Amino acid sequence: MALIGRFNSLQVVKHTDFGLYLDGGAGEEILLPRRYVPKDQPSEVGDWLNVFVYLDSEDRPIATTLKPKVQVGGFASLKVLQINHIGLFLDWGLPKDLLLPHSEEKRPLQVGDYCVVHVYLDPRTRRIVATARLDRYLDKIPADYRPGQAVDLLVVEPTPLGFKAIIDGQHWGLIHKNEVFKFIRAGMREQGYIKEVRDDGKISLSLQPLGQAARDELSERILARLREDGGVLPLGDKSPPELVAKLFGVSKGSFKKAIGGLYKQDLIAIHDDRIELR
């Protein structure tokens, strides 16, 4: 059976004037409307096409070669396009908007707002719907991360301690305020790094690589910037942390460790207000 709300590889079984019919399994044929048939890829009966399957306005399975912003089982930040008594309708990149029922709202939203949601298939109606109540879909399996591991993050919301983020679509994590050295907001996707998995299961995150790998990466960026700027950079021991964060997106402490390593390699000279290539 074709999976509703996901990409499927389906075989062409019939040509019509208004599109192709694809084998959806169990005797079901799914229409790929003519406007979505790849023009640069002639499709014959027996060929296989990679399509996204969802439900049309009459709740019939239909296929498209458009790429939605999220599949069933995924998380995404989506814009509210319309609100009525049924719920909120979100832009997920397909002609039929995605429903977020009022019962699945976490906070009041207005048209134009963005909201991080999880997309699931309603087991009763088979309809694809969204929910802003994310907790029930996260932390279902024990976290198995190592410090320094690179992970994909979806920033969800600010908190008094920093920013809550979804790790690899599976776990909650927290980017503490002292780890934020660049602009971030809810809905942004970032590469992050595991800083710590605590005994209680809570996960601390960093937006920068950790340890020696972080220093090596930052050192290379500093050297590249020095070469671009004629061998002199207006950052030194006495430079304010805000300027360091603006130029390199890291803490003053990380910057000082990196330039200290470059100094020991006799690659730079360090002054109060600048560093210079040797």
Side-chain angles (χ1 to χ4, degrees), residues 112-126:
D113 288 346
Y114 282 80
C115 180
V116 176
V117 296
H118 176 77
V119 178
Y120 68 99
L121 199 62
D122 186 299
R124 182 177 60 84
T125 64
R126 292 181 73 210

Side-chain angles (χ1 to χ4, degrees), residues 57-175:
S57 57
E58 297 181 12
D59 291 335
R60 298 172 302 189
I62 192 167
T64 179
T65 49
L66 296 176
K67 293 184 178 180
K69 298 174 182 179
V70 60
Q71 297 188 66
V72 163
F75 299 84
S77 176
L78 302 178
K79 184 179 181 179
V80 179
L81 296 179
Q82 182 185 351
I83 301 175
N84 62 23
H85 67 283
I86 298 174
L88 301 86
F89 293 86
L90 311 178
D91 174 16
W92 66 321
L94 297 182
K96 182 184 178 184
D97 299 329
L98 179 65
L99 173 65
L100 170 63
H102 285 301
S103 61
E104 297 298 326
E105 282 184 89
K106 187 176 179 181
R107 61 181 176 85
L109 294 166
Q110 304 295 324
V111 171
D113 288 346
Y114 282 80
C115 180
V116 176
V117 296
H118 176 77
V119 178
Y120 68 99
L121 199 62
D122 186 299
R124 182 177 60 84
T125 64
R126 292 181 73 210
R127 292 176 179 171
I128 305 168
V129 290
T131 177
R133 301 183 181 278
L134 308 180
D135 287 343
R136 70 188 78 157
Y137 300 101
L138 294 165
D139 296 327
K140 293 300 184 183
I141 59 175
D144 184 22
Y145 304 109
R146 63 184 185 280
Q149 179 178 342
V151 290
D152 292 322
L153 303 179
L154 173 58
V155 181
V156 175
E157 61 186 4
T159 77
L161 297 178
F163 288 86
K164 288 180 70 175
I166 296 172
I167 307 167
D168 287 345
Q170 293 186 325
H171 297 94
W172 279 120
L174 181 67
I175 310 166

